[in-house]
Amino acid sequence: MAPWSTLLGVCCLALGTYPLSCTARPQQKVHFNASQLHADVDAPHAFVILGASGDLSKREIYPALWSLYRDNKLPSNTRFYGHARKNIDVAKLRENVDPYVKISDDELKRYDEFWSLNKYTAGTDNEDADYDKINEMIGKDQGGPDARGNRIFYLALPPSVFQNATTQIKRACMAKKGWTRIGVEKPFGHDLASSEELSHHLSSLFTEDQIYRMDHFLGYDMVQNLLRIRFANRMFDPSWNKHSIASVKINFCENMGIEGRGVFFDENGIIRDVMQNHLLQIMSLIAMEKPVSASSDDVRDAKVELLKSTKAVVMDDVVLGQYVGNPDSDDPRERIGFQDDPTVPPGSNASTFALTVLRIQNQRWEGVPFIIRAGKGLDVNKTEVIIQYKGIENDIFNGQSNRNELIIRIGTTEALQVKLMSKIPGFSSNIEEITMDFDYINEYKDLKLPSAYEVLLLDMFHGNQMNFVREDELKEAWKIFTPILHEIEGKQIKPIDYKFGSKGPQEADELEVKNNFL
């Protein structure tokens, strides 16, 4: 049987498309129907942001809530409550959020309505009186302390205060007649032990179906599409295994530096920042076995089994890097190295780049390296999965054939690309590599994709946990990375210097080749 990509190429060529491009079926705009919400849609809803004055809230949470409100995605009787230490009011909160939203003249009245539904209280993370006040406000707006109503508490807080805040929520702020849900922002611990401590604390207060561990990558449309690409297309199944695939690379590149996050990076590094969570989530969706169904529990069961089959990373499969200033760059930002940032502690060994090779021990993937590469201060800004197929056996074209590749672009550029071999047009009998490109922006001209936070916050209202991290999933993820993190920190392993604006350390490229990625 021919590889699926060859079959796809033949189909597209038969349609007379050259240069190649794949066209979507009649467009169906992505939207969320309020009728899909839970049966309690008419009840009052309270969305509470703890840490409302922080950077995450103004950049992501409030803009997402505004977009959902503007587009009538939320229950009609929803109010918003902010709480933080800063002594400000709703007007100041709105002023902080304004730079991160785009409001047309036609939307200004609606925007005013959104903010009229907001309240803000200043207070601590752990004082009884502060949470009693939050509970009193919500109860009053929902018709009394014992009235029917639902509550979501979103913890846009540092992990150091999670326990205080959640203990107070449980003590004072739970819905009496309705549901209560808790949104927890990463990082979920610092290693396996600290993660389990946090998980045990949360499970002592709430049931698992009340806890929503946010990993915003799971809100990207293409990440959610991975499940559909794999299991709604028959052509993929025969080749999605060790017999056809040589290697898989998950690549996260940012062409910006840490931008004042020196303390965070000194404590966490790139592995904790994006690799142990975001990129491992992508890998689990790429590599997991077919779930029993598309339900939340069945999909997450399949991801957990995949993670259990993944060996802990070892030092021979790791390259660490730290960007330095590039004095030859015309961009002044690129002349500033990691150590030059005033927020970075002197002599920090934190990694701003890492490449790790993950190895899955199961029948499907035994021997196929999964290369996860992530870095800041690089030459491009992109996130992609590259599935590289093995070379042609008994090649009759004198070695002209390159490996087929499936490329999945995620985030700001959502796209699918297939690289395959094709005859050069005209009298030539030689072959060349061509690319079929399915780009969301090109194919869906009027499409306005919701942000990852819009998708996930709406899931919290729906009660849909598929795109949130379950406790056992989190535990297995930390098992893969905790040993290598402890070794790196215990031995104070120094990362390799690489210039800002480069592709990263040369040693990373060499390790990729060693692991059969060409």
Side-chain angles (χ1 to χ4, degrees), residues 219-225 383 408-416 437-442 447 449-450:
Y220 284 136
D221 202 79
M222 186 57 79
V223 173
Q224 297 192 350
N225 200 15
T383 302
I408 304 167
R409 295 247 164 89
I410 295 166
T412 53
T413 303
E414 307 268 74
L416 282 171
D437 195 353
F438 179 88
D439 187 292
Y440 273 42
I441 295 175
N442 293 334
L447 178 65
L449 283 174

Side-chain angles (χ1 to χ4, degrees), residues 234-251:
R234 179 68 178 88
M235 65 175 66
F236 289 147
D237 189 55
S239 67
W240 208 269
N241 52 52
K242 63 187 178 184
H243 303 297
S244 297
I245 292 175
S247 57
V248 179
K249 181 165 76 168
I250 301 171
N251 202 23

Side-chain angles (χ1 to χ4, degrees), residues 266 322 338-339 344-350 492 494-495:
D266 180 63
Q322 186 184 100
F338 177 75
Q339 300 278 355
V344 174
S348 173
N349 277 337
Q492 287 291 297
K494 183 175 174 57

Side-chain angles (χ1 to χ4, degrees), residues 3 6 389-397 401-404 421:
T6 303
Y389 282 75
K390 292 181 176 180
I392 296 295
E393 295 179 355
N394 303 317
D395 184 10
I396 63 174
F397 297 107
S401 298
N402 296 334
R403 289 179 171 182
N404 297 151
M421 304 307 298

Side-chain angles (χ1 to χ4, degrees), residues 159-222:
S160 59
V161 298
F162 280 177
Q163 295 195 15
N164 289 337
T166 51
T167 299
Q168 287 289 359
I169 292 169
K170 180 66 174 182
R171 181 194 66 81
C173 299
M174 302 292 286
K176 300 296 190 297
K177 294 180 181 178
W179 49 253
T180 301
R181 294 171 184 158
I182 311 298
V184 185
E185 187 74 33
K186 80 169 187 71
F188 313 120
H190 197 71
D191 58 10
L192 179 59
S194 59
S195 175
E196 289 202 288
E197 180 183 354
L198 175 59
S199 292
H200 291 157
H201 172 77
L202 291 175
S203 64
S204 73
L205 302 174
F206 312 107
T207 58
E208 183 64 28
D209 63 353
Q210 292 178 302
I211 303 170
Y212 291 71
R213 297 175 188 84
M214 170 76 76
D215 185 328
H216 77 270
F217 263 53
L218 292 175
Y220 284 136
D221 202 79
M222 186 57 79

Side-chain angles (χ1 to χ4, degrees), residues 135-152:
N135 182 60
E136 183 182 346
M137 279 196 308
I138 298 172
K140 184 177 180 181
D141 290 339
Q142 292 189 342
D146 296 322
R148 170 171 161 250
N150 302 314
R151 303 180 180 191
I152 296 174

